[in-house]
Amino acid sequence: MVMSRGLSQRLANASVSLKLAVGFGLVMLMTLMISATGWFSNQALIDRGDRVTAIAEINELTLQLRINRSRYEDLFNAESAAEVRTTLDQLDAALAYARSLLRSPENLQSLDGQIQTAREYRQSFADMSKAIDVREASRSQMGDNADKAVDQANKVEAELLKADNILAFNGIVGVSKLIQQARFQVRGYTYSGRPDFEKNANQAIDEAVTGINTLAGDISSEYLPLLQQAVVGLKGYRAAVGQYRDAQAASQAALEKMTALGTTMLATSNEMIARQNKSRNADSDKSVLMIAVATALALVMSILAAWIITRQITTPLQETLEVVERVAS
């Protein structure tokens, strides 16, 4: 109250120019206050939009990662593998950038989880790539060992044909058929990947080995080295089938892990986007409220200031006019 009277007294003693200057200064101050409120509110919305965009970029890269990984599974070449690694690098960069924008502990915790998940995804992809390399190498080993067994059987067959040993010749022809049957069963397994087909393939290989061993007891010992080499080829063939099985299982396990990790990353990204959108809506409402309050406050203060200054100017003039009228009368 005392301060208000003191201010009024000072204004009463001030010149008209000073009073008008104070009035215009208050108007400018109120305008500046409204502008500052709007600027800070809009800046908060812009920052929130940047965060939403950064998280959306993570979501898009996660989807692209899934597409590139599927392409790698189909093509299995250096180009498709490089695309997966490039997308992982881009995802790491996007996660680091988003982390530099976010502030709340909840969002930072979610992003740290995303970063760890991306690391695990990269490791799983490396495991899958290694398993696929082993699997494809085992395919070559299967082919080489099967060809070795067939070549040795063909040599024995040719020698027996020259020797005109029809009984033994028919035996080696039967062995050749068993080897071909084994190759047929193995191809069925590698194309399908079904465990029961693997059992049939191994059984067919074992039958071919048994056929060779049986034949070895019925023909001249001069053919034994060739038959033994055929057995070695078939055993290598069987071992390669086992390597293929193990590599395929490792590849499938890595794929399933990557699928789960990708799903987790997408779910987390969507959750973060929803959270940011909710915060953005709250910021928008808060911005509107702040601008409205600032505008109302500025309007009230401007009206009050205008009223006070007007009274400080008009009251002395009115008093002077009354004095002049009394003197004139």
Side-chain angles (χ1 to χ4, degrees):
M1 189 69 176
V2 175
M3 184 179 295
S4 177
R5 289 178 180 177
L7 180 60
S8 298
Q9 185 65 32
R10 291 191 184 92
L11 286 175
N13 296 331
S15 64
V16 174
S17 298
L18 181 59
K19 293 174 182 177
L20 291 175
V22 171
F24 282 117
L26 286 173
V27 172
M28 293 297 295
L29 181 62
M30 295 302 103
T31 303
L32 181 61
M33 183 180 71
I34 295 173
S35 299
T37 302
W39 186 86
F40 283 115
S41 299
N42 287 334
Q43 188 62 40
L45 291 175
I46 291 172
D47 291 342
R48 185 70 64 184
D50 290 341
R51 296 186 187 109
V52 172
T53 301
I55 297 173
E57 178 70 12
I58 294 172
N59 201 54
E60 291 178 5
L61 286 172
T62 303
L63 290 172
Q64 186 62 43
L65 183 61
R66 176 181 291 180
I67 294 171
N68 290 343
R69 187 208 67 207
S70 298
R71 187 167 180 265
Y72 171 72
E73 291 176 55
D74 294 335
L75 300 179
F76 180 61
N77 55 28
E79 180 183 355
S80 57
E83 288 177 352
V84 174
R85 295 188 183 95
T86 299
T87 306
L88 281 169
D89 292 339
Q90 293 173 345
L91 180 60
D92 288 342
L95 287 168
Y97 176 68
R99 200 182 191 287
S100 68
L101 295 178
L102 297 176
R103 296 291 180 269
S104 70
E106 185 179 15
N107 287 326
L108 290 176
Q109 183 179 3
S110 297
L111 264 182
D112 288 340
Q114 290 279 70
I115 292 172
Q116 180 60 34
T117 302
R119 290 197 189 104
E120 293 178 9
Y121 195 104
R122 186 185 291 273
Q123 182 59 51
S124 295
F125 178 73
D127 293 341
M128 187 181 78
S129 298
K130 182 179 179 181
I132 290 178
D133 288 339
V134 173
R135 185 190 69 188
E136 296 306 308
S138 68
R139 284 182 186 272
S140 298
Q141 292 176 5
M142 282 189 283
D144 293 342
N145 284 291
D147 290 341
K148 180 179 180 180
V150 170
D151 289 342
Q152 300 305 314
N154 288 339
K155 289 178 181 179
V156 174
E157 185 177 330
E159 292 296 327
L160 290 174
L161 185 60
K162 289 180 183 179
D164 199 23
N165 189 339
I166 301 301
L167 182 61
F169 176 79
N170 290 335
I172 193 62
V173 169
V175 167
S176 296
K177 290 181 179 179
L178 289 175
I179 295 174
Q180 293 301 326
Q181 178 64 21
R183 299 190 78 170
F184 175 78
Q185 293 292 344
V186 169
R187 288 194 186 100
Y189 165 61
T190 56
Y191 287 141
S192 68
R194 292 174 52 180
D196 53 332
F197 280 28
E198 181 203 2
K199 180 180 178 181
N200 294 336
N202 287 330
Q203 183 177 352
I205 295 173
D206 292 341
E207 289 175 356
V209 172
T210 301
I212 292 175
N213 290 332
T214 301
L215 180 64
D218 297 334
I219 63 176
S220 174
S221 60
E222 65 180 295
Y223 302 111
L224 291 181
L226 294 175
L227 293 177
Q228 288 173 352
Q229 289 299 314
V231 170
V232 170
L234 287 174
K235 288 182 177 179
Y237 194 31
R238 199 181 197 285
V241 171
Q243 290 178 354
Y244 180 92
R245 176 200 60 221
D246 295 340
Q248 181 67 13
S251 172
Q252 185 63 30
L255 175 60
E256 291 175 357
K257 184 175 181 180
M258 282 190 292
T259 301
L261 291 172
T263 301
T264 299
M265 292 180 70
L266 285 174
T268 303
S269 296
N270 289 331
E271 180 183 343
M272 292 177 66
I273 290 175
R275 195 156 56 230
Q276 289 297 318
N277 285 334
K278 183 178 179 180
S279 298
R280 182 184 60 187
N281 293 336
D283 287 345
S284 178
D285 294 340
K286 182 180 178 181
S287 175
V288 172
L289 179 61
M290 288 179 63
I291 293 175
V293 170
T295 302
L297 181 61
L299 182 62
V300 170
M301 293 183 66
S302 297
I303 293 173
L304 180 61
W307 179 74
I308 293 174
I309 292 173
T310 300
R311 282 183 57 83
Q312 292 295 326
I313 294 174
T314 58
T315 299
L317 291 176
Q318 183 66 33
E319 292 175 352
T320 301
L321 182 60
E322 290 176 356
V323 171
V324 171
E325 288 178 349
R326 284 198 301 270
V327 171
S329 62

